[in-house]
Short mmCIF file of all heavy atoms in Angstrom, two decimals:
data_model
loop_
_atom_site.label_atom_id
_atom_site.label_comp_id
_atom_site.label_asym_id
_atom_site.label_seq_id
_atom_site.Cartn_x
_atom_site.Cartn_y
_atom_site.Cartn_z
N GLU A 1 -25.22 3.38 20.41
CA GLU A 1 -24.19 2.73 19.67
C GLU A 1 -24.60 2.60 18.13
O GLU A 1 -25.83 2.59 17.88
CB GLU A 1 -23.92 1.31 20.14
CG GLU A 1 -23.51 1.25 21.61
CD GLU A 1 -22.15 1.90 21.81
OE1 GLU A 1 -21.38 1.92 20.90
OE2 GLU A 1 -21.93 2.32 22.95
N ASN A 2 -23.70 2.70 17.28
CA ASN A 2 -23.97 2.54 15.85
C ASN A 2 -22.91 1.76 15.09
O ASN A 2 -21.88 1.50 15.70
CB ASN A 2 -24.23 3.97 15.21
CG ASN A 2 -23.01 4.87 15.38
OD1 ASN A 2 -21.89 4.60 15.13
ND2 ASN A 2 -23.25 6.03 15.96
N ARG A 3 -23.14 1.51 13.82
CA ARG A 3 -22.18 0.67 13.07
C ARG A 3 -20.87 1.35 12.88
O ARG A 3 -19.82 0.73 12.92
CB ARG A 3 -22.86 0.44 11.67
CG ARG A 3 -22.14 -0.58 10.85
CD ARG A 3 -21.97 -1.95 11.47
NE ARG A 3 -23.22 -2.60 11.60
CZ ARG A 3 -23.85 -3.29 10.69
NH1 ARG A 3 -23.31 -3.48 9.50
NH2 ARG A 3 -24.99 -3.82 10.93
N GLU A 4 -20.90 2.67 12.76
CA GLU A 4 -19.57 3.38 12.58
C GLU A 4 -18.77 3.25 13.80
O GLU A 4 -17.54 3.13 13.78
CB GLU A 4 -19.82 4.81 12.15
CG GLU A 4 -20.20 5.00 10.70
CD GLU A 4 -19.25 4.42 9.73
OE1 GLU A 4 -17.96 4.69 9.88
OE2 GLU A 4 -19.60 3.76 8.75
N ASN A 5 -19.41 3.37 14.96
CA ASN A 5 -18.66 3.19 16.18
C ASN A 5 -18.14 1.80 16.37
O ASN A 5 -17.00 1.62 16.78
CB ASN A 5 -19.61 3.46 17.35
CG ASN A 5 -18.89 3.44 18.71
OD1 ASN A 5 -18.01 4.31 19.04
ND2 ASN A 5 -19.16 2.33 19.49
N ASP A 6 -18.81 0.74 15.87
CA ASP A 6 -18.29 -0.61 15.90
C ASP A 6 -17.02 -0.69 14.97
O ASP A 6 -16.09 -1.41 15.33
CB ASP A 6 -19.34 -1.59 15.38
CG ASP A 6 -20.49 -1.74 16.26
OD1 ASP A 6 -20.42 -1.39 17.47
OD2 ASP A 6 -21.53 -2.12 15.80
N TYR A 7 -16.99 -0.03 13.88
CA TYR A 7 -15.92 -0.05 12.97
C TYR A 7 -14.68 0.59 13.58
O TYR A 7 -13.54 0.14 13.46
CB TYR A 7 -16.22 0.63 11.62
CG TYR A 7 -17.30 -0.04 10.78
CD1 TYR A 7 -18.05 0.62 9.94
CD2 TYR A 7 -17.49 -1.44 10.92
CE1 TYR A 7 -19.08 0.00 9.20
CE2 TYR A 7 -18.50 -2.07 10.25
CZ TYR A 7 -19.24 -1.41 9.30
OH TYR A 7 -20.17 -2.02 8.62
N TYR A 8 -15.02 1.74 14.27
CA TYR A 8 -13.95 2.47 14.96
C TYR A 8 -13.23 1.59 16.05
O TYR A 8 -12.06 1.51 16.14
CB TYR A 8 -14.46 3.78 15.62
CG TYR A 8 -13.40 4.58 16.38
CD1 TYR A 8 -12.47 5.24 15.77
CD2 TYR A 8 -13.49 4.44 17.82
CE1 TYR A 8 -11.54 6.01 16.50
CE2 TYR A 8 -12.55 5.15 18.59
CZ TYR A 8 -11.53 5.97 17.85
OH TYR A 8 -10.60 6.62 18.66
N MET A 9 -14.11 0.84 16.72
CA MET A 9 -13.60 -0.06 17.85
C MET A 9 -12.74 -1.18 17.20
O MET A 9 -11.87 -1.66 17.87
CB MET A 9 -14.69 -0.55 18.67
CG MET A 9 -15.44 0.52 19.52
SD MET A 9 -14.26 1.58 20.48
CE MET A 9 -13.52 0.42 21.56
N MET A 10 -13.09 -1.64 16.02
CA MET A 10 -12.18 -2.64 15.31
C MET A 10 -10.83 -2.04 15.08
O MET A 10 -9.81 -2.77 15.22
CB MET A 10 -12.89 -3.05 14.03
CG MET A 10 -14.17 -3.81 14.17
SD MET A 10 -14.88 -4.36 12.59
CE MET A 10 -16.54 -4.84 13.00
N TYR A 11 -10.83 -0.77 14.73
CA TYR A 11 -9.54 -0.11 14.50
C TYR A 11 -8.77 -0.02 15.73
O TYR A 11 -7.52 -0.33 15.73
CB TYR A 11 -9.87 1.27 13.85
CG TYR A 11 -8.80 2.34 14.05
CD1 TYR A 11 -7.57 2.23 13.34
CD2 TYR A 11 -9.02 3.39 14.85
CE1 TYR A 11 -6.64 3.21 13.48
CE2 TYR A 11 -8.05 4.32 14.95
CZ TYR A 11 -6.80 4.32 14.34
OH TYR A 11 -5.88 5.28 14.48
N ILE A 12 -9.52 0.35 16.79
CA ILE A 12 -8.80 0.50 18.14
C ILE A 12 -8.25 -0.82 18.59
O ILE A 12 -7.16 -0.93 19.18
CB ILE A 12 -9.79 1.10 19.15
CG1 ILE A 12 -10.12 2.52 18.84
CG2 ILE A 12 -9.26 0.89 20.58
CD1 ILE A 12 -8.94 3.43 19.00
N MET A 13 -9.01 -1.95 18.31
CA MET A 13 -8.46 -3.27 18.70
C MET A 13 -7.16 -3.56 18.10
O MET A 13 -6.24 -4.10 18.71
CB MET A 13 -9.54 -4.27 18.33
CG MET A 13 -9.09 -5.75 18.69
SD MET A 13 -8.64 -6.01 20.33
CE MET A 13 -10.34 -5.92 21.11
N GLN A 14 -7.02 -3.17 16.83
CA GLN A 14 -5.70 -3.48 16.07
C GLN A 14 -4.63 -2.62 16.66
O GLN A 14 -3.45 -3.00 16.75
CB GLN A 14 -5.91 -3.20 14.62
CG GLN A 14 -6.91 -4.02 13.94
CD GLN A 14 -6.84 -5.50 14.39
OE1 GLN A 14 -5.78 -6.11 14.35
NE2 GLN A 14 -7.95 -6.07 14.75
N LEU A 15 -4.95 -1.30 17.05
CA LEU A 15 -3.95 -0.49 17.70
C LEU A 15 -3.53 -1.09 19.08
O LEU A 15 -2.27 -1.03 19.44
CB LEU A 15 -4.54 0.93 18.03
CG LEU A 15 -4.76 1.95 16.82
CD1 LEU A 15 -5.20 3.27 17.34
CD2 LEU A 15 -3.54 2.02 15.99
N ARG A 16 -4.46 -1.65 19.77
CA ARG A 16 -4.13 -2.29 21.03
C ARG A 16 -3.15 -3.50 20.83
O ARG A 16 -2.12 -3.63 21.57
CB ARG A 16 -5.39 -2.78 21.67
CG ARG A 16 -6.23 -1.74 22.29
CD ARG A 16 -7.58 -2.26 22.75
NE ARG A 16 -7.44 -3.39 23.69
CZ ARG A 16 -8.52 -4.01 24.17
NH1 ARG A 16 -9.78 -3.80 23.77
NH2 ARG A 16 -8.30 -5.02 25.05
N ILE A 17 -3.45 -4.27 19.80
CA ILE A 17 -2.55 -5.41 19.46
C ILE A 17 -1.14 -4.99 19.12
O ILE A 17 -0.17 -5.43 19.62
CB ILE A 17 -3.16 -6.25 18.30
CG1 ILE A 17 -4.43 -6.94 18.82
CG2 ILE A 17 -2.12 -7.31 17.86
CD1 ILE A 17 -5.31 -7.54 17.67
N LEU A 18 -1.08 -3.94 18.24
CA LEU A 18 0.25 -3.42 17.85
C LEU A 18 1.04 -2.72 18.96
O LEU A 18 2.26 -2.78 18.86
CB LEU A 18 0.03 -2.48 16.66
CG LEU A 18 -0.50 -3.08 15.35
CD1 LEU A 18 -0.90 -1.90 14.40
CD2 LEU A 18 0.62 -3.97 14.73
N SER A 19 0.32 -2.16 19.86
CA SER A 19 0.99 -1.37 20.92
C SER A 19 1.26 -2.21 22.24
O SER A 19 1.90 -1.74 23.15
CB SER A 19 0.08 -0.18 21.31
OG SER A 19 -0.15 0.62 20.23
N ASP A 20 0.86 -3.51 22.30
CA ASP A 20 1.00 -4.31 23.53
C ASP A 20 2.52 -4.71 23.65
O ASP A 20 2.96 -5.48 22.84
CB ASP A 20 0.02 -5.51 23.39
CG ASP A 20 0.02 -6.28 24.68
OD1 ASP A 20 0.82 -5.98 25.62
OD2 ASP A 20 -0.77 -7.28 24.75
N ILE A 21 3.09 -4.24 24.69
CA ILE A 21 4.52 -4.52 24.93
C ILE A 21 4.64 -6.03 25.44
O ILE A 21 5.69 -6.50 25.51
CB ILE A 21 5.21 -3.61 25.88
CG1 ILE A 21 4.49 -3.64 27.29
CG2 ILE A 21 5.24 -2.24 25.35
CD1 ILE A 21 5.33 -2.71 28.31
N ASN A 22 3.55 -6.69 25.74
CA ASN A 22 3.65 -8.14 26.06
C ASN A 22 3.52 -9.00 24.77
O ASN A 22 3.60 -10.23 24.82
CB ASN A 22 2.42 -8.50 26.96
CG ASN A 22 2.55 -7.73 28.29
OD1 ASN A 22 3.43 -7.83 29.06
ND2 ASN A 22 1.59 -6.79 28.50
N ASN A 23 3.36 -8.30 23.57
CA ASN A 23 3.18 -8.97 22.35
C ASN A 23 4.35 -8.65 21.45
O ASN A 23 4.53 -7.49 21.06
CB ASN A 23 1.86 -8.58 21.74
CG ASN A 23 1.67 -9.11 20.34
OD1 ASN A 23 2.43 -9.91 19.86
ND2 ASN A 23 0.61 -8.60 19.67
N SER A 24 5.23 -9.62 21.09
CA SER A 24 6.38 -9.32 20.31
C SER A 24 6.25 -9.95 18.82
O SER A 24 7.29 -10.08 18.14
CB SER A 24 7.63 -9.88 21.00
OG SER A 24 7.49 -11.28 21.10
#
């Protein structure tokens, strides 16, 4: 694991939030 991977996963977390159909 490295810092850049951590940053990428922060980006993925925001995609998850924006794409969650249980979240309006």
Side-chain angles (χ1 to χ4, degrees):
E1 300 295 336
N2 55 53
R3 186 62 62 87
E4 283 303 314
N5 183 69
D6 291 341
Y7 296 154
Y8 176 77
M9 293 310 296
M10 291 180 193
Y11 158 69
I12 291 296
M13 176 58 71
Q14 301 313 312
L15 289 186
R16 287 170 57 184
I17 293 170
L18 292 170
S19 301
D20 187 354
I21 61 175
N22 301 295
N23 175 8
S24 61

